[in-house]
Amino acid sequence: MRIGVIGVQGNVTEHVDAVARAIRQAGRKGEAFPVRRREDLDRSDGLTIPGGESTTISKLLVKLGLFDEIVRRATEERMPILGTCAGCILLSKEAGAQAERTRTHLLGLMDMTVDRNAFGRQRESFEADLDVEGLDAPFHCVFIRAPAILRTWGACRPLARYADRIVLARQGNLIGAAFHPELSGDLRIHRWFLDLF
Ligand code: GLN
C-alpha cells in the first residue's frame, strides 16, 4: 500500500513516521511519503491530511492542482483519507463563519459541521484519555488549537467525545480526528485507516 501524506504545510514528518510504523506493525508491505505534486497523489492509494493551518493548506491544495483530484478520488474511487485537526476541518462540509471569512476551501466530503479553534485560548493545547467506540481501552488524545465536530448527519458516525463535543468521526472511507493520533505513539487509529484498504 502506498500512503501519501499531504505535505504542503503542517506536521508532515510525524505523519509519515506514524503511517510507516503502522504499516510495519500491521505486517503489511508499503510506504508512506509526502504529497506535494500531482504525481505524488497519483501514486497514492490513500491519504492522510495532517494538522497545520486549514486555510493555508486548502489554498495550497488548489494552487498545486491537487484539490479537485482529491475530491474526485475520494468520491468516485472511495480512496481512504485520514484527516487530523486541520485535515479534519478540510474533510467537513461546513466549518462556520471563520472558514467563510478566510475563504477556506473545504473538501466537503464528510457530513459534519466543525468549529475551528473550538476549545478557546485558555485550552490551546491539552491531552485527554478518551473512550473511542470500537477500541477496548481509552486512546490518549493530543489536542492542539483543535476543532470540534458540532454535528454529524447522514452516513457520518461520531466515535469519540470530549466535553460534550464530538472529536472523532467516520464516514465510510473517511476518518476525521480533531486531535493528533500521530503524536500519541498509539497507532490504533492508523491501524483502522489501514484496514480500509
Ligand atoms: N487551528 C487550526 C486551523 O483552524 C488547526 C490546528 C491544528 O491542525 N493543529 O486550521
Side-chain angles (χ1 to χ4, degrees):
M1 52 178 49
R2 288 171 311 222
I3 312 295
V5 174
I6 292 297
V8 297
Q9 193 259 345
N11 54 335
V12 180
T13 320
E14 293 89 339
H15 267 268
V16 173
D17 286 354
V19 173
R21 273 187 287 128
I23 292 172
R24 278 199 301 277
Q25 199 186 75
R28 315 260 304 249
K29 277 208 169 63
E31 53 169 336
F33 48 85
V35 170
R36 299 196 181 94
R37 296 166 311 161
R38 176 61 191 262
E39 302 88 273
D40 306 323
L41 177 58
D42 288 346
R43 70 184 183 101
S44 303
D45 302 315
L47 285 182
T48 74
I49 307 179
E53 214 284 315
S54 52
T55 304
T56 307
I57 296 175
S58 85
K59 289 184 177 169
L60 287 169
L61 290 179
V62 173
K63 192 168 163 201
L64 296 168
L66 300 172
F67 190 94
D68 291 340
E69 181 62 4
I70 294 172
V71 173
R72 189 193 70 75
R73 296 271 311 274
T75 48
E76 288 178 17
E77 298 174 11
R78 298 183 56 77
M79 172 176 68
I81 305 179
L82 168 64
T84 73
C85 204
C88 178
I89 296 169
L90 295 180
L91 286 174
S92 72
K93 289 208 165 136
E94 296 174 0
Q98 200 187 345
E100 279 170 31
R101 202 173 49 245
T102 54
R103 298 213 173 81
T104 303
H105 307 277
L106 302 175
L107 294 165
L109 296 167
M110 290 180 73
D111 296 335
M112 59 189 193
T113 305
V114 303
D115 181 18
R116 288 177 71 177
N117 303 310
F119 296 98
R121 286 189 182 278
Q122 298 86 346
R123 307 218 66 193
E124 280 217 326
S125 301
F126 58 97
E127 304 186 10
D129 290 321
L130 303 181
D131 289 328
V132 172
E133 200 180 307
L135 296 182
D136 49 13
F139 194 93
H140 187 71
C141 302
V142 178
F143 293 85
I144 305 170
R145 291 186 294 283
I149 300 167
L150 298 181
R151 161 177 107 87
T152 65
W153 65 94
C156 187
R157 286 194 51 165
L159 297 175
R161 289 173 202 269
Y162 175 79
D164 284 337
R165 281 176 272 192
I166 302 162
V167 293
L168 179 67
R170 163 148 184 226
Q171 181 169 347
N173 52 319
L174 309 166
I175 303 170
F179 52 91
H180 290 266
E182 76 283 3
L183 295 181
S184 60
D186 184 338
L187 295 169
R188 288 178 292 167
I189 291 175
H190 283 81
R191 295 284 299 273
W192 271 357
F193 170 63
L194 298 184
D195 285 344
L196 295 170
F197 293 87

